[in-house]
Amino acid sequence: MTFSRVFLLSLLALCFAVSAFGLLLPDEVQTLREVAQTLGKTDWDFSVDPCSGESNWVKPLPLNGEENAVTCGNCSLVNGTNYCHVVSIILKQENLNGTLPQELVKFPYLYEIDLTRNYLSGTIPMEWGSIKLLNISLLGNRLTGPIPKELGNISTLKSLVLEYNQFSGNLPPELGNLTKIERLFLTSNNFTGDLPATFERLTALKDFRIGDNQFSGRIPNWIQDWTRLEKLVIQGSGLSGPIPSGISSLTNLIDLRITDLKNGADSTFPELTNMTRLQTLILRSCNIIGTLPEYLGNFRSLITIDLSFNKLSGTIPSTYYGLRKSQYLYLTGNLLTGPVPEWTDQAGFVVGNPGQQTCETGRVNLFSSSLTDNNSGIVPCVGSISCPKLWYSLHINCGGKQISENGNTYDDDSDAGGPARFRKSATNWAGSNTGHFVDNTRSPYYTWSKTSGLSMTNAELYMDARVSPISLTYYGYCLGNGSYTVSLHFAEIMFTDDKTYSSLGRRVFDVYIQGKLVLKDFNIAQEAGGVGKAIIKNFTAAVTRNTLEIRFYWAGRGTIDLPFRSVYGPLILVWLCSLILTYFAGVLSFICKYDNFECLTVLVEGRNVTLPGEIVSGKRNTISLPTNECFYLLDWANELKEDNLLKLVDERLGSEFNKEEAMVMIRVALLCTNSSQKLRPSVSSVVRMLESRSVVQDLESEILDDKKLESMRLRNQESQCLSMDYSLSDFSTSVTDPHPHHLDSSYWEESN
Ligand SMILES: *[C@@H]1O[C@H](CO)[C@@H](O)[C@H](O)[C@H]1NC(C)=O
Ligand SMILES: *[C@@H]1O[C@H](CO)[C@@H](O)[C@H](O)[C@H]1NC(C)=O
Ligand SMILES: *[C@@H]1O[C@H](CO)[C@@H](O)[C@H](O)[C@H]1NC(C)=O
Ligand SMILES: *[C@@H]1O[C@H](CO)[C@@H](O)[C@H](O)[C@H]1NC(C)=O
Ligand SMILES: *[C@@H]1O[C@H](CO)[C@@H](O)[C@H](O)[C@H]1NC(C)=O
Ligand SMILES: *[C@@H]1O[C@H](CO)[C@@H](O)[C@H](O)[C@H]1NC(C)=O
Ligand SMILES: *[C@@H]1O[C@H](CO)[C@@H](O)[C@H](O)[C@H]1NC(C)=O
Ligand SMILES: *[C@@H]1O[C@H](CO)[C@@H](O)[C@H](O)[C@H]1NC(C)=O
Ligand SMILES: *[C@@H]1O[C@H](CO)[C@@H](O)[C@H](O)[C@H]1NC(C)=O
Ligand SMILES: *[C@@H]1O[C@H](CO)[C@@H](O)[C@H](O)[C@H]1NC(C)=O
Ligand SMILES: *[C@@H]1O[C@H](CO)[C@@H](O)[C@H](O)[C@H]1NC(C)=O
């Protein structure tokens, strides 16, 4: 007999066994109808017996997490017939849109209810507290309200999975009565308060996950009693540090993830000496100081080690040679020094961070010291930079190919990415990613595309995105010093905008610009008013050392398993920065000193921006020319002669400035003062003009046109005197620092 025939026969035998099992008790059939009604389950076929396993009472061969099964059991003869009870109801990924049925209490033998990934709303009925359940899973719904204290009465309960809902309130102390519980998953809800002290008694726990909540208080030391624990996940939970010493007794841990502890005091590396079974160790952003423990090198089971964004110092211990069979070691964002060991130089092994400035494949060193450190002016991995020129704008299509939109060219950033990948553009920017999606069951991904169904303007810009599981950083360099507008374009393209569980994902991350937190717990879809909608966030950034750093960081918040496993962390589509026109106005704005401020007003109105004084940070110097050197705009317009215009330049500079550059600025400034909005150049053309001198000449001929000059003259007739208001440090660029600029790290250190 062939194998398949054996298989077929056993399958048939099974079918007979099931159908011979018995019928569902009539009362319970009626209850199932009520349950269907409450859940919004419309396709149960009541013309066949629910215990038959036929029709759609059991969906054969569940795929991709879909599962649909009503299981009967505990049968007995009643009035000569074999009658059975409902013992388990599993309805996964069905997008049911009803509420949780309290009718379940009428199934006396029910031990399992699994409603994973639906669209159910409402609260948990307190009546469930009287059902002798073993397993409850409500993962990925829209459920709200507190957990009823009655659940603490389900003494049989082994697994309570409430992740990815909107439950709130404090955890009831009664849950401490669940002394048989092995799995307690509360991730991604809105729970508040301390972990109840009664939880100390939950010593059967093997797997405890509470990330992405609003808990308060510290991680309690009594977790030391949970000695059977194999997995502990406290990511972005709201709890504070330090990691308690009691953790050292959890020697059965295989997977330990604690990240983003709140207002934690600095503490040394927790004592993990006896946790030799560890495969995943993530202690990110936990304010850990001191050196890396040597014993970790002896933990041969370790696959992923993430100690990034702490304050670890010293060198990588030589014992870490023992980790060469591991796959990931993230040390980004620490204060480590010394060389990166040779043995890390192998495929599949990545070290984010310290010592050397090499950036060979598989051996990436990221210098960034911490999330909030101010921009040091150092670009990791780039080494000595020779700037062929200074740029005043930058456009990047994150995760996508080069495209042109609105007259701007967005640079290609389509590199597939990797767990510690550094990309350097041919021009003046670089990008780096830290992290891989730890629980991803698909092929690794660092970019995401959605090529259809986007309806926003400039949809092309939004089709490709770069995503990151930990941190994504972009560095701009060879940028002219000054104030920039940084426009970050976001749109949620991974979740859906419908009434399915795929729409229930919440992506939450932080954004730092020049080391300053500018967006905290940013949720794209929420800010944009829905999925697939664009949201542009503008920021002002001061570039003082010719570099700009933008970092997107996942602080452990938001859902991580919707619509499928490992969907979380920052997602960015496009970003661009351009010199703010006000900066430009700050460099060369014409202020009517005595009578009115009309010219300035023109400039300000025309560009709809704030006054320079409020924007331009750094050293500014306002110098008015003596009265006898006043110029009427009229005069300049008529005689755009270099000598006249150059009189506008601060006399204290003497002859020590680049005439060509000064002329460009003055001429561009003149264009900007044009009273007719049509004649004033756009921001992008101003930036272009500042970048390439030739364009100005073309545009200048425009301003020389008599009619245009006339309007300008009329507008400014009243002006008595003009002064020039500029930022000395900005404008004197060409005085002290002739091109090309060599911006290597020693240069930066010296200029400190
Ligand atoms: C119901 O059936 C299960 C499995 O056969 C059994 O373990 C349990 O004791 C039964 N419950 C009752 C109350 O008979
Ligand atoms: C069994 O028979 C009794 C007496 O006739 C009746 O009351 C009861 O409803 C029957 N039970 C079932 C499950 O049919
Ligand atoms: C719930 O889903 C059903 C389809 O399963 C649909 O007909 C119904 O309109 C939905 N109800 C709501 C309130 O969305
Ligand atoms: C829990 O069960 C006990 C008896 O088993 C009962 O006295 C108590 O009222 C129940 N508590 C809740 C909150 O339902
Ligand atoms: C119920 O939960 C236990 C404890 O975690 C788990 O081992 C078991 O597989 C679950 N049973 C089902 C049917 O999901
Ligand atoms: C359950 O827990 C509560 C509060 O923690 C306690 O007062 C109660 O006695 C416990 N009930 C049982 C049945 O253990
Ligand atoms: C979480 O709960 C707080 C109050 O405790 C409330 O202000 C906030 O809106 C809730 N957040 C969500 C996402 O429900
Ligand atoms: C580790 O285990 C050893 C041997 O059981 C024990 O002596 C030592 O105290 C343990 N260390 C910690 C930190 O728990
Ligand atoms: C970073 O900049 C902030 C102001 O943005 C300042 O308060 C802080 O002292 C600076 N920190 C360092 C380390 O320079
Ligand atoms: C952001 O800045 C750009 C110019 O850089 C401007 O076109 C856009 O209107 C601004 N958007 C918002 C929301 O301020
Ligand atoms: C930019 O500013 C920094 C510090 O203010 C200065 O050291 C550097 O020379 C400036 N760069 C240029 C190109 O002007």
Side-chain angles (χ1 to χ4, degrees):
M1 225 191 302
T2 63
F3 169 76
S4 58
R5 211 174 280 173
V6 173
F7 180 69
L8 202 67
L9 284 179
S10 22
L11 212 81
L12 282 174
L14 191 72
C15 293
F16 278 120
V18 170
S19 48
F21 216 43
L23 303 172
L24 184 60
L25 274 164
D27 285 356
E28 294 196 19
V29 175
Q30 180 52 34
T31 306
L32 267 185
R33 287 181 198 273
E34 294 165 20
V35 167
Q37 178 94 32
T38 312
L39 287 171
K41 174 83 180 154
T42 53
D43 58 358
W44 270 338
D45 180 1
F46 284 94
S47 69
V48 295
D49 188 84
C51 291
S52 65
E54 283 164 19
S55 192
N56 46 12
W57 290 101
V58 175
K59 196 175 196 169
L61 303 176
L63 286 176
N64 299 326
E66 282 173 36
E67 210 175 329
N68 176 346
V70 171
T71 311
C72 300
N74 295 77
C75 310
S76 56
L77 286 171
V78 184
N79 301 347
T81 309
N82 194 23
Y83 278 114
C84 301
H85 298 271
V86 170
V87 295
S88 159
I89 299 175
I90 300 178
L91 298 169
K92 285 162 96 168
Q93 273 176 220
E94 296 239 307
N95 296 317
L96 301 175
N97 60 15
T99 57
L100 297 181
Q102 71 169 73
E103 295 88 351
L104 294 184
V105 293
K106 292 194 262 180
F107 296 129
Y109 292 87
L110 186 71
Y111 72 84
E112 177 173 47
I113 177 81
D114 187 338
L115 300 169
T116 296
R117 294 196 177 91
N118 280 290
Y119 200 67
L120 299 164
S121 57
T123 58
I124 300 180
M126 61 176 191
E127 289 81 359
W128 283 17
S130 62
I131 314 175
K132 293 295 158 218
L133 288 160
L134 261 60
N135 293 28
I136 300 177
S137 176
L138 303 174
L139 182 149
N141 280 284
R142 298 182 291 154
L143 301 164
T144 52
I147 303 183
K149 64 177 190 306
E150 287 76 7
L151 290 200
N153 253 5
I154 313 180
S155 57
T156 45
L157 202 60
K158 281 187 160 178
S159 171
L160 179 58
V161 177
L162 304 179
E163 300 180 294
Y164 317 123
N165 277 287
Q166 292 150 35
F167 291 117
S168 56
N170 293 5
L171 298 178
E174 285 78 3
L175 293 187
N177 294 341
L178 300 173
T179 48
K180 287 194 180 146
I181 201 156
E182 296 174 359
R183 279 201 301 206
L184 183 52
F185 295 176
L186 305 173
T187 312
S188 279
N189 279 290
N190 199 10
F191 291 121
T192 48
D194 292 12
L195 292 183
T198 55
F199 276 30
E200 185 176 1
R201 306 204 295 265
L202 303 180
T203 51
L205 271 177
K206 287 184 179 165
D207 197 341
F208 182 69
R209 310 182 195 176
I210 56 164
D212 186 30
N213 275 294
Q214 310 286 347
F215 288 115
S216 52
R218 285 173 51 171
I219 300 179
N221 196 46
W222 45 251
I223 60 167
Q224 66 184 339
D225 295 338
W226 296 353
T227 51
R228 290 187 210 169
L229 210 59
E230 292 173 1
K231 181 161 177 171
L232 177 62
V233 184
I234 307 183
Q235 304 200 113
S237 62
L239 293 178
S240 309
I243 297 167
S245 61
I247 201 160
S248 61
S249 50
L250 307 184
T251 53
N252 282 313
L253 277 177
I254 293 169
D255 192 333
L256 172 60
R257 308 182 194 185
I258 302 180
T259 74
D260 306 283
L261 291 176
K262 248 185 164 173
N263 2 289
D266 291 346
S267 62
T268 52
F269 204 89
E271 182 59 66
L272 309 180
T273 352
N274 288 344
M275 280 185 210
T276 50
R277 299 177 64 193
L278 277 180
Q279 292 175 7
T280 303
L281 174 62
I282 300 179
L283 301 175
R284 182 173 60 242
S285 192
C286 290
N287 299 303
I288 303 174
I289 55 168
T291 55
L292 288 166
E294 296 195 348
Y295 61 79
L296 271 193
N298 305 325
F299 288 11
R300 300 299 152 88
S301 310
L302 277 170
I303 295 168
T304 298
I305 309 159
D306 177 359
L307 306 174
S308 57
F309 300 105
N310 284 296
K311 299 170 193 165
L312 292 162
S313 52
T315 58
I316 297 180
S318 57
T319 55
Y320 281 30
Y321 179 71
L323 295 175
R324 67 193 180 285
K325 298 249 161 63
S326 322
Q327 282 173 17
Y328 306 97
L329 172 59
Y330 299 110
L331 299 171
T332 308
N334 279 292
L335 306 167
L336 297 165
T337 50
V340 174
E342 288 293 312
W343 55 263
T344 62
D345 201 359
Q346 54 183 276
F349 199 98
V350 291
V351 173
N353 215 28
Q356 297 171 342
Q357 294 191 30
T358 56
C359 278
E360 296 146 42
T361 321
R363 203 167 127 189
V364 178
N365 309 305
L366 301 177
F367 270 84
S368 49
S369 43
S370 84
L371 282 177
T372 49
D373 257 22
N374 294 342
N375 184 26
S376 60
I378 294 170
V379 180
C381 292
V382 169
S384 173
I385 307 169
S386 176
C387 298
K389 64 167 185 169
L390 290 179
W391 276 264
Y392 294 92
S393 70
L394 193 51
H395 301 76
I396 298 173
N397 182 20
C398 307
K401 296 233 174 292
Q402 186 193 71
I403 50 174
S404 292
E405 201 77 66
N406 295 339
N408 290 321
T409 300
Y410 292 79
D411 286 1
D412 178 292
D413 179 31
S414 59
D415 177 272
R421 180 79 133 247
F422 188 86
R423 318 173 293 286
K424 185 174 170 296
S425 77
T427 52
N428 65 326
W429 61 272
S432 119
N433 174 61
T434 304
H436 67 289
F437 290 101
V438 180
D439 300 314
N440 184 23
T441 49
R442 311 186 161 207
S443 53
Y445 70 99
Y446 303 91
T447 57
W448 194 263
S449 299
K450 181 174 166 58
T451 48
S452 62
L454 294 174
S455 56
M456 69 279 275
T457 46
N458 302 336
E460 213 194 338
L461 285 177
Y462 295 90
M463 288 175 178
D464 302 298
R466 193 162 283 286
V467 290
S468 173
I470 301 179
S471 160
L472 180 66
T473 317
Y474 284 95
Y475 304 89
Y477 48 89
C478 295
L479 287 167
N481 286 340
S483 243
Y484 286 74
T485 295
V486 177
S487 288
L488 306 176
H489 295 226
F490 303 99
E492 181 53 68
I493 58 170
M494 287 186 80
F495 304 139
T496 55
D497 193 14
D498 50 15
K499 292 183 173 166
T500 69
Y501 70 88
S502 299
S503 71
L504 299 175
R506 268 177 285 139
R507 181 188 303 284
V508 179
F509 58 93
D510 297 345
V511 181
Y512 293 79
I513 296 182
Q514 302 292 53
K516 193 170 148 232
L517 182 63
V518 295
L519 286 177
K520 170 105 188 104
D521 290 341
F522 182 66
N523 179 329
I524 300 174
Q526 192 179 308
E527 291 269 331
V531 166
K533 297 200 169 116
I535 170 96
I536 301 174
K537 299 296 267 186
N538 283 352
F539 301 96
T540 305
V543 168
T544 53
R545 295 169 190 221
N546 307 101
T547 60
L548 175 68
E549 182 190 302
I550 304 176
R551 186 192 295 276
F552 304 89
Y553 175 76
W554 182 58
R557 326 259 338 165
T559 56
I560 51 181
D561 281 347
L562 291 175
F564 50 86
R565 288 190 86 173
S566 275
V567 177
Y568 58 92
L571 181 153
I572 173 78
L573 297 136
V574 165
W575 69 271
L576 56 108
C577 74
S578 44
L579 202 65
I580 306 179
L581 195 68
T582 23
Y583 155 84
F584 170 70
V587 174
L588 272 179
S589 65
F590 298 87
I591 300 177
C592 305
K593 191 73 181 159
Y594 301 116
D595 285 0
N596 59 50
F597 286 79
E598 205 167 26
C599 333
L600 182 63
T601 314
V602 169
L603 194 60
V604 170
E605 277 173 3
R607 292 301 153 213
N608 196 19
V609 285
T610 343
L611 285 165
E614 291 164 18
I615 294 224
V616 177
S617 58
K619 202 158 69 179
R620 276 165 48 80
N621 222 346
T622 306
I623 295 172
S624 54
L625 295 167
T627 328
N628 61 357
E629 282 184 40
C630 281
F631 291 86
Y632 288 105
L633 266 179
L634 180 68
D635 292 337
W636 310 339
N638 283 335
E639 306 171 55
L640 272 172
K641 291 283 182 322
E642 194 167 299
D643 287 347
N644 277 351
L645 288 176
L646 285 174
K647 284 184 189 159
L648 284 166
V649 176
D650 183 3
E651 53 191 6
R652 288 189 308 190
L653 289 176
S655 59
E656 285 183 88
F657 60 89
N658 182 329
K659 277 191 187 169
E660 195 190 353
E661 205 162 295
M663 284 305 294
V664 170
M665 292 203 173
I666 293 169
R667 283 171 172 151
V668 173
L670 269 178
L671 287 176
C672 294
T673 60
N674 204 313
S675 60
S676 156
Q677 190 164 359
K678 277 189 193 147
L679 297 177
R680 290 195 294 265
S682 68
V683 179
S684 56
S685 54
V686 167
V687 170
R688 265 203 309 279
M689 284 186 275
L690 288 174
E691 282 178 352
S692 88
R693 278 141 222 183
S694 60
V695 186
V696 181
Q697 260 116 48
D698 306 341
L699 279 159
E700 196 180 274
S701 55
E702 237 180 79
I703 202 169
L704 285 168
D705 175 288
D706 277 350
K707 276 183 192 156
K708 290 170 191 163
L709 284 176
E710 180 62 19
S711 65
M712 195 167 157
R713 177 166 42 236
L714 289 173
R715 180 84 176 177
N716 294 292
Q717 251 166 8
E718 311 300 315
S719 312
Q720 292 298 305
C721 186
L722 294 144
S723 75
M724 206 169 65
D725 175 19
Y726 64 92
S727 158
L728 188 60
S729 60
D730 298 328
F731 193 51
S732 56
T733 295
S734 54
V735 180
T736 52
D737 229 26
H739 303 300
H741 307 280
H742 295 279
L743 311 178
D744 60 14
S745 47
S746 61
Y747 169 90
W748 295 120
E749 275 145 29
E750 277 165 32
S751 63
N752 266 343

